Amino acid sequence: MSTPAATPLKSLNPAKDPAPLRGLAKAPTGIQGLDEITGGGLPMGRPTLVCGTAGCGKTLLGMEFLVRGASEFGEPGVFMAFEETARDLTENVRSLGFDLEELTRQKKVIVDYVRIERHEIEETGDYDLEGLFVRLGHAIDSIGAKRVVLDTIETLFSGLSNTAILRSELRRLFCWLKERGVTAIITAERGEGQLTRHGLEEYVSDCVILLDHRVIDQVSTRRIRIVKYRGTTHGTNEYPFLIDEDGISVLPITSLGLQHAASNERISTGIPRLDSMLAGKGYYRGTTVLISGNAGTGKTSMAAQFALAACERGEKCLYFAFEESPGQIVRNMRSIGLDLAPWVEKGLLRFHAIRSTLHGLETHLAAFHKVTQEFEPQVVIFDPIDSVVQAGTLKDAAAMLNRLIDFLKVQGITALLTNLTFGSNALENSGVDVSSIVDTWMSVRDVELGGERNRVLYVLKSRGMAHSNQVREFLLTDRGIELQDVYLGQDGVLTGSARQSQEAREKATSVLAQQEIEGRRREMDQKREALEARIVALRKDFEAEEEEAKRVIGQEKARGEGVRHDRERMAESRQADDDQPVLPPSTLSVKQRKQPTTALQ
C-alpha cells in the first residue's frame, strides 16, 4: 500500500513566513545586446564603472545609457563631463541620432561641463569633492534625475598625488552616489596591468564593464566584457560590439543554443529541376544551404536565382556580398536572364556589400546581426563565406560562421552560403569547416572532356528529405539556370559537346531504327491490302457462281414444274387416273417406245 507524498510544513503564523526572494533591481540600458548579457541592465541605484583605452566607446556608452533612459524609460539624467564641453558632446552624438538639445529643452537631460586644468591646481591642505557633490546634487534635484554619468574620473584627481586621500575620496564619491539612489556610470581610463589608472575604482564599484579596442593584423575589433557584477549572474565572455549611426549594439553570440524550431514548409530553389532533385519541393524553410565549388562554376548565379525566387514569392532577401558591388551583381545576372533591379527598387532585395578586411570577424558578426534584425528578411545570402577568412584565422572564421548559422536558425531565416573550394577534394571539404552543420550541401564543379570544361552539380546531402544521388549538367543560359541529364555509358560521364555528339549519334541510330520499323510496317500493310483484295475478288467470284447456280437451279425447277403441268393436262385429256405417276419426259418416251402402237394392231 502506497503512502501519500509528504507536503511541506507551513508556519502557523503567516506574519513570520519569509518573503519570497527578489533579484537585484536593474535599470535597463536600452542598448541592444547589453541588457541581455547583464541580465536586464545595470544595478539600479548603484555605480557602474566603465573602463577601457582611448577610443573604445566609454563616453558613447554613458551617453546612450543616459539618452535612452530619458527618452525610452522616463528616467531623466545628468551627464557631467570633465574633458569635453557640452557643445562638443551635443555635436558628437548628433551623428548617432541623439538630440541632446531637445532633451535638454524638455528638462530630461542636463549636460554639465566642469573645467579642470592640472596646471591651475595647487595641492595645499585637504582635498575633497564637496564642491562636486553640491554641483551634481543641484543638477540632480533640478530635473529629478535617476541616472548620472561622470566622464572621466581621472580628471578629478589629475593633480592629486596623495594615495590615501585618493582612496578616501573615491569611496566617498561612490557612497554619495548610492545615498542619492541614482544609477550611475563612471568612466575611467585603462591602467597598466590593472583595469583603471589608479587601480581602486574597480574594487568599490558594484559593476565593472571593460571595453577593448584591439587591432590584429591591421583589423580592428571592439569587445565588451562584464568583469564583475555583484548580486546577479551575468555573461562572462567577451562579446563584440558595433558603433554605427544608431549607437552601440552588442551581440551576445555565445548565448545562442540549439533550441530553434524546425519548419515543415518547403520553398523553391528557383530552379525547377533542382527542386525535383530535392524530393520535388526544394529546401526546408529556416534551414542553411551550402553551395561549394571551384571558381566560375556558377555559385553566385545559383544564389541570385534563389534570391529572385524569394522576391517573386513576396519575401524579403538580404544579400551579403564580399567580392562584387551590387551594381556589378545586377549587371552580371542580366546576362543569364535574371533581372534583380526591379526587386531592389521595390525594397524586397537589399544588398550589403563590404570587404571582409574592413572589420574583424566579431565586428562583422555584430554587423550581420544588426542589419538582419533591422531588415527582417526571410532569406539571407552570403557570397562567398570563405572571404571572411581574410579577417582572421581559419579557426576563428569557422567559429564565427557557426554562430552566424545558429543565429539565423533561431530567427527562422533560410540562409544560402556560397563557398569557394580548391583542388580535387572539393566534394569532401567545404574549406571553412561548416559542412557538418549545414542542412543541404551541394557541389558544382568543372569536368574537362573533349577539350572543353563543363559544369556538373551534385547533391551531397539534404537532411530530412529524399534527394537525388545523380549528377546533373549545370548550364547557364539566357533564360537562367538549367539542369540536364548527363550521358552515362561505356565511355563514362559525357557532358557538353561530347554529350551532344553522343546524343546526335543515338538520335541518328534511333531514326534509322524507326525508318526500318516504318518500312516493315508499310510492307505488312501492303501485304494485308493485297490479301484483302484477293479475299474481295474471291468473294465476288463466289457470289457470281452462287448466282449462276441459283439461276440454273431455278430454271431446272421451272422446267420440272412445266413438265408436271403438261403431264397433268395430258392425263386429263386421256382421262387417266389421277394417281398415275407422272414420269419424267425421258422415262415416258422410253416406255412409249417399248409398247406397240394400237393402230398397227
Side-chain angles (χ1 to χ4, degrees), residues 58-231:
K58 301 184 300 295
T59 301
L60 178 59
L61 189 146
M63 182 62 74
E64 187 166 355
F65 167 74
L66 206 67
V67 170
R68 295 194 182 277
S71 58
E72 298 178 9
F73 305 107
E75 296 185 358
V78 175
F79 192 100
M80 184 165 284
F82 305 107
E83 293 183 343
E84 295 181 88
T85 64
R87 180 178 179 180
D88 291 339
L89 286 170
T90 301
E91 292 179 353
N92 291 342
V93 299
R94 184 180 290 116
S95 61
L96 304 176
F98 301 153
D99 191 353
L100 285 181
E101 294 179 348
E102 181 63 24
L103 293 175
T104 302
R105 191 178 301 111
Q106 297 175 3
K107 295 184 178 181
K108 293 182 178 181
V109 171
I110 290 179
V111 180
D112 189 11
Y113 169 62
V114 179
R115 180 174 174 270
I116 299 177
E117 296 292 342
R118 182 174 182 179
H119 67 274
E120 297 179 357
I121 299 176
E122 182 179 355
E123 188 175 349
T124 59
D126 294 334
Y127 182 90
D128 61 51
L129 300 175
E130 193 62 36
L132 175 67
F133 296 157
V134 173
R135 186 167 180 170
L136 182 57
H138 174 71
I140 292 173
D141 294 336
S142 63
I143 62 172
K146 300 294 183 182
R147 303 187 179 198
V148 171
V149 176
L150 301 180
D151 182 46
T152 63
I153 196 172
E154 285 82 14
T155 309
L156 284 174
F157 307 102
S158 59
L160 187 61
S161 59
N162 192 321
T163 306
I165 296 177
L166 177 62
R167 288 174 178 269
S168 175
E169 290 304 306
L170 276 175
R171 291 191 180 93
R172 187 170 173 229
L173 173 62
F174 280 77
C175 291
W176 185 87
L177 292 171
K178 282 187 178 181
E179 291 174 358
R180 293 302 303 256
V182 293
T183 305
I185 285 182
I186 301 172
T187 66
E189 294 290 339
R190 184 78 179 269
E192 294 292 336
Q194 51 194 6
L195 293 179
T196 59
R197 187 175 300 174
H198 301 294
L200 304 174
E201 299 91 329
E202 58 263 34
Y203 296 103
V204 295
S205 301
D206 292 279
C207 179
V208 178
I209 299 177
L210 176 63
L211 302 183
D212 181 28
H213 188 192
R214 66 189 67 170
V215 178
I216 301 176
D217 294 333
Q218 301 180 355
V219 178
S220 66
T221 303
R222 286 186 171 92
R223 297 174 184 262
I224 185 172
R225 181 166 69 93
I226 311 300
V227 178
K228 81 171 185 179
Y229 199 148
R230 291 172 179 164

Side-chain angles (χ1 to χ4, degrees), residues 506-563:
E506 291 181 351
K507 184 177 180 180
T509 303
S510 176
V511 170
L512 292 176
Q514 187 66 26
Q515 290 176 350
E516 183 177 357
I517 292 174
E518 292 295 332
R520 289 182 175 275
R521 181 178 293 111
R522 286 194 299 270
E523 182 180 356
M524 294 302 298
D525 290 341
Q526 292 174 357
K527 290 183 177 181
R528 181 182 297 104
E529 292 176 358
L531 178 60
E532 291 177 352
R534 290 180 60 189
I535 292 173
V536 171
L538 290 173
R539 182 177 290 111
K540 289 182 178 180
D541 292 342
F542 174 76
E543 291 175 353
E545 293 179 359
E546 184 180 24
E547 289 295 330
E548 180 64 22
K550 289 180 180 180
R551 185 182 63 78
V552 172
I553 292 172
Q555 290 178 352
E556 290 295 329
K557 184 177 180 181
R559 183 181 298 111
E561 290 294 334
V563 171

